[in-house]
Amino acid sequence: MQLNGDQRLEAYRRMLRIRRFEEEGMRQFKGDKIPGFFHSSVGQEAAIVGACLALRDDDAMTGTHRSHGHPIGKGAHLDALMAEVMGKEGGICKGRGGSMHFADNSVGIISESAIVGGGIPLATGCAFSARVRGVDQVTLCFFGDGAVNQGTFHESLNMASLWKLPVIYLCENNGYAITTSLAQSHGQPDIALRAAGYGMPGVTVDGQDVCAVYEAAAQAVRRARAGEGPTLIVANTYRFDEHSFGLVISGEPYRSVEEVEAHKRDRDPILLYRTVLLEEGINEESLGAVEDEVAEAVKQAVKFALASPMPRPETLPDYMFNSPLAGQYSSAAGLERN
Amino acid sequence: MLTDAQKLAPTPGTHIQMTYLEALMQAQMEEMDRDERVVLMGEDISVYGGDKLIERFGRNRIWDTPISEGSFTGMGIGAAINGLRPIVDLEFASFAYLASDQIINQASKLRYMTGGQIDIPIVFRCCMFSTGSMAAQHADRPYPLFMNVPGLKIISPTSAADIKGLMKSAIRDGDPVLVFEEKRLWPLKGDVPTDPDHVIPIGKADVKREGKDVTLIAIAGAIRPTMEAVDALAKEGISVEVIDPRTLKPLDHEAFKTSVAKTGRLVIVENGHRVCNVGSEIVAVMAEEAFDLLKRPILRLSAPDIHVPFSPSLEKDFYPTKDHIVAAVRRLL
Ligand SMILES: Cc1ncc(C[n+]2csc(CCOP(=O)(O)OP(=O)(O)O)c2C)c(N)n1
């Protein structure tokens, strides 16, 4: 299963949308327009987009604290995402979630967890629901190499295998959990081997190669839809920026400047794919058109986000409950400070 | 300007200015020097101010763990039962939920359930990152939840000298102690005794400001707007006594009663959510033990019963501010 005609340019478009969104986000962060944390996915675009493109529109997904790439990879509109990182009313989560929690339900994202490993059981449950309801929806679960050490990973993979749930566990293995390398935190650093312990296939792919990720994911989607159960895919990738924007880590460096530079130079997933597309006969003009379109979409998103108002303080309790009980917000009247 | 080394060097009997965070680090450093059974474990320790500890004690005493809160917390508990005195740093207090099964079902209960056959001398550090758009999964203040668990001691001091003295007590204590520090207090400077045996007993409140009109009990990070409010009120001639419980479990009932006996009025300010927080407990204690001392109803200020929002416009007034506190005190007069 390979990326077909239209998908090939779409893969390029979505990777570029992630890259430009993140770059613009970092600029806005510097300009004090974005509060809180900002974890960028620059360098990891192929792992995200390759996996997302293997899904149907009605398939579900969960993500992580490094949350911006996932909805964009699944095709989300940029405006409400940019507004969300700025904490605006027009944000996809109405300013309640922010940078680490970009849940865009319109593209099937049920949540992004800033609790490392927190989303893995949710994805498993989402797949369980599809199984119980007898629909052929698949769930894609993103997590990092660090999350593999959480108990949730082990317990979820066991249940998914036991009940042959239609879920794909996709590890964006960028080699580090903040400052902690794989070697410092994994008794078995070959993460895909862990799948064997749960009776499911474990596949390692080059996460900088969008086609390779797509192929592995498409294969896993086929298995899942056919009722054959879960797959663990480990996409080896790299984070080009610091763990989160502006984070300064004192003490001994945990990765060398040379290592980072070499990845940026030789392993940039977007540059690698651009070369492939040119070799396959897609001309500069078509690529240029995509690049312009993406630049325009990001510009528009910033415009939308800047113009969107801040949420009004009196809306603070909104969205707490689906059906509030009478009197529930007399306690929120802690707001009025008695 | 003093260098870090100068600031951190112990000279018995003197005081030195340092921040809350430096005092916390110094407490750990001195206790690790004093007792080689003390070890520190947690994720990315250097990111949260621990690089000096790594330099000094090396990797056999300082453990960067995998992201496995439930399990490394349990490992710490096992190690404590078996001869070490671990400090488990959970960083964000919100992550204490992942560790809560081990803290509650194991650490708090095992001494009791084994009829006192074992001791669990362990410290859990949980920092409350309640501002700065962390959003709901990183901004919790879960101390009330743990207060409802027997078998745990809980401290939440607010000054540099207090965090140093209480942290040292916690490390020397033979039982599980939870430390709820507050990120907003990290940069606050204060005079700290350099005596390596400067310890403050767990369970003793401190009067941070003497006054006669109203008693104000401030918990953890709430001390900052409280002090601003008290200064503003003083200019109007209103004299507020400020009490910092420092230890949340056990609470120092006598200190509260002594003060209310003087003022007859009580306001409690904290950043926890409103329902069943530490204020609720203090109100119950006062109703049971000191009802006669009160001239007016007790007022509680807290965060509302709503999750911490991301957007700065919603987060801005989420916790009690100076103005809220001033208004509450005025209402009681
Ligand atoms: C339960 C929990 N523990 C710790 C953290 C702090 N933390 C945030 S991101 C992170 C590293 C995650 O590493 P990984 O899963 O590899 O994802 P990456 O950041 O590399 O994308 C840590 C330790 C957290 N958010 N949640």
Side-chain angles (χ1 to χ4, degrees), chain A residues 201-219:
Chain A
V203 189
T204 303
V205 292
D206 177 0
Q208 305 311 84
D209 176 350
V210 69
C211 302
V213 179
Y214 173 81
E215 281 166 36
Q219 178 70 11

Side-chain angles (χ1 to χ4, degrees), chain A:
Chain A
M1 270 167 281
Q2 293 188 334
L3 287 167
N4 62 32
D6 287 350
Q7 280 177 322
R8 289 195 301 158
L9 265 190
E10 187 59 23
Y12 186 64
R13 180 178 294 114
R14 291 196 192 178
M15 288 203 287
L16 211 56
R17 277 159 68 90
I18 297 176
R19 176 73 55 98
R20 299 284 175 258
F21 182 92
E22 300 279 30
E23 288 169 348
E24 183 57 34
M26 289 188 264
R27 262 194 295 279
Q28 296 296 331
F29 197 103
K30 259 192 229 159
D32 252 0
K33 293 281 187 257
I34 294 177
F37 292 128
F38 192 92
H39 303 86
S40 104
S41 311
V42 168
Q44 304 187 194
E45 297 91 344
I48 298 169
V49 171
C52 288
L53 278 178
L55 299 180
R56 283 195 319 233
D57 284 351
D58 64 332
D59 284 332
M61 249 170 67
T62 62
T64 66
H65 60 287
R66 200 171 296 291
S67 87
H68 314 144
H70 304 132
I72 301 176
K74 189 86 188 323
H77 205 280
L78 299 186
D79 291 7
L81 300 184
M82 190 62 86
E84 187 61 29
V85 275
M86 294 190 186
K88 299 298 188 77
E89 181 73 52
I92 192 70
C93 306
K94 307 281 186 276
R96 268 61 170 182
S99 162
M100 296 187 288
H101 315 91
F102 261 25
D104 186 344
N105 215 259
S106 73
V107 293
I109 301 201
I110 63 162
S111 67
E112 303 235 18
S113 177
I115 298 295
V116 173
I120 306 177
L122 301 189
T124 309
C126 188
F128 175 77
S129 161
R131 171 77 201 278
V132 170
R133 290 181 295 118
V135 297
D136 71 346
Q137 179 192 48
V138 167
T139 302
L140 171 63
C141 174
F142 284 108
F143 52 91
D145 45 283
V148 167
N149 289 322
Q150 284 286 27
T152 48
F153 172 85
H154 305 280
E155 292 163 358
S156 294
L157 265 66
N158 182 51
M159 287 187 278
S161 168
L162 179 66
W163 296 318
K164 295 217 175 314
L165 303 181
V167 52
I168 298 160
Y169 296 104
L170 194 129
C171 177
E172 291 176 71
N173 176 16
N174 62 19
Y176 298 91
I178 311 188
T179 62
T180 308
S181 70
L182 219 61
Q184 287 168 324
S185 56
H186 289 60
Q188 171 50 270
D190 185 343
I191 294 170
L193 283 183
R194 302 200 186 198
Y198 301 106
M200 70 175 76
V203 189
T204 303
V205 292
D206 177 0
Q208 305 311 84
D209 176 350
V210 69
C211 302
V213 179
Y214 173 81
E215 281 166 36
Q219 178 70 11
V221 167
R222 193 203 54 72
R223 263 177 57 80
R225 278 207 228 286
E228 292 165 24
T231 305
L232 171 64
I233 300 174
V234 181
N236 288 330
T237 179
Y238 201 79
R239 135 165 90 64
F240 287 4
D241 292 300
E242 189 42 280
H243 172 70
S244 66
F245 185 72
L247 184 67
V248 178
I249 296 176
S250 56
E252 256 174 70
Y254 64 95
R255 58 179 197 178
S256 67
V257 176
E258 298 77 53
E259 179 186 305
V260 179
E261 290 310 315
H263 277 90
K264 287 187 185 170
R265 190 183 58 235
D266 306 329
R267 306 284 296 144
D268 181 327
I270 296 181
L271 295 183
L272 291 173
Y273 188 52
R274 201 175 193 283
T275 311
V276 169
L277 288 176
L278 288 172
E279 277 167 7
E280 286 180 356
I282 294 196
N283 58 27
E284 279 282 356
E285 231 164 66
S286 320
L287 295 177
V290 170
E291 286 152 14
D292 291 346
E293 182 200 309
V294 170
E296 190 48 43
V298 172
K299 213 156 79 206
Q300 158 60 28
V302 170
K303 209 164 121 197
F304 173 86
L306 290 175
S308 175
M310 279 297 193
R312 282 167 297 118
E314 59 274 26
T315 66
L316 174 67
D318 293 1
Y319 316 109
M320 274 291 291
F321 294 100
N322 173 288
S323 51
L325 297 170
Q328 216 151 28
Y329 276 105
S330 60
S331 70
L335 275 183
E336 284 137 40
R337 311 290 162 192
N338 310 23

Side-chain angles (χ1 to χ4, degrees), chain B residues 14-304:
Chain B
T14 58
H15 285 67
I16 205 163
Q17 278 264 316
M18 64 175 75
T19 66
Y20 182 95
L21 183 59
E22 285 164 346
L24 180 53
M25 288 300 159
Q26 201 190 51
Q28 296 177 98
M29 204 177 276
E30 287 178 5
E31 292 307 297
M32 291 187 76
D33 272 337
R34 193 184 61 84
D35 184 345
E36 63 182 21
R37 295 171 302 171
V38 179
V39 296
L40 176 65
M41 52 207 288
E43 290 157 19
D44 300 290
I45 291 203
S46 59
V47 179
Y48 300 95
D51 44 317
K52 290 198 186 68
L53 296 175
I54 299 174
E55 264 167 44
R56 181 149 174 161
F57 297 105
R59 292 286 175 184
N60 199 38
R61 305 278 302 280
I62 313 277
W63 291 83
D64 270 333
T65 60
I67 310 174
S68 311
E69 286 84 0
S71 302
F72 73 68
T73 302
M75 278 180 55
I77 297 166
I81 294 172
N82 199 24
L84 293 183
R85 301 179 78 88
I87 303 168
V88 173
D89 187 354
L90 290 160
E91 296 169 357
F92 288 75
S94 299
F95 307 161
Y97 299 129
L98 291 106
S100 62
D101 170 58
Q102 289 293 326
I103 297 175
I104 297 171
N105 275 321
Q106 307 295 344
S108 87
K109 295 179 180 170
L110 287 186
R111 181 170 211 288
Y112 182 76
M113 292 174 72
T114 58
Q117 295 177 71
I118 59 168
D119 284 313
I120 309 181
I122 190 165
V123 175
F124 303 104
R125 273 184 63 191
C126 316
C127 186
M128 300 184 286
F129 285 71
S130 45
T131 51
S133 283
M134 301 281 116
Q137 286 180 335
H138 278 73
D140 290 300
R141 292 124 286 117
Y143 56 82
L145 184 155
F146 289 99
M147 285 172 71
N148 197 243
V149 177
L152 300 176
K153 297 170 184 169
I154 304 178
I155 61 174
S156 192
T158 63
S159 73
D162 286 356
I163 186 73
K164 183 172 173 199
L166 273 155
M167 186 69 190
K168 287 166 88 73
S169 291
I171 297 169
R172 295 181 189 191
D173 200 277
D175 287 312
V177 183
L178 270 88
V179 184
F180 282 95
E181 60 204 70
E182 158 78 53
K183 170 90 189 307
R184 271 190 275 181
L185 299 176
W186 278 3
L188 283 195
K189 285 204 165 149
D191 268 339
V192 178
T194 49
D195 175 2
D197 284 320
H198 158 71
V199 291
I200 291 173
I202 291 176
K204 284 278 170 248
D206 187 41
V207 178
K208 290 286 180 236
R209 181 77 63 92
E210 303 229 14
K212 58 182 180 18
D213 298 328
V214 176
T215 298
L216 211 154
I217 301 178
I219 312 295
I223 196 85
R224 293 198 75 165
T226 294
M227 284 309 189
E228 289 168 22
V230 168
D231 287 341
L233 288 160
K235 290 200 186 103
E236 300 173 24
I238 300 169
S239 150
V240 179
E241 178 144 306
V242 179
I243 298 192
D244 173 6
R246 302 193 293 197
T247 299
L248 301 182
K249 191 150 186 200
L251 280 167
D252 186 352
H253 297 188
E254 290 314 311
F256 308 152
K257 287 189 276 189
T258 306
S259 178
V260 174
K262 212 162 50 165
T263 62
R265 297 174 175 85
L266 178 59
V267 178
I268 306 158
V269 191
E270 66 180 301
N271 293 334
H273 293 289
R274 189 164 178 75
V275 180
C276 288
N277 58 13
V278 69
S280 314
E281 174 62 15
I282 295 174
V283 172
V285 164
M286 297 307 280
E288 283 176 346
E289 301 176 17
F291 194 70
D292 296 346
L293 300 176
L294 289 160
K295 295 185 198 141
R296 298 290 310 273
I298 303 172
L299 294 184
R300 284 191 297 146
L301 302 182
S302 65

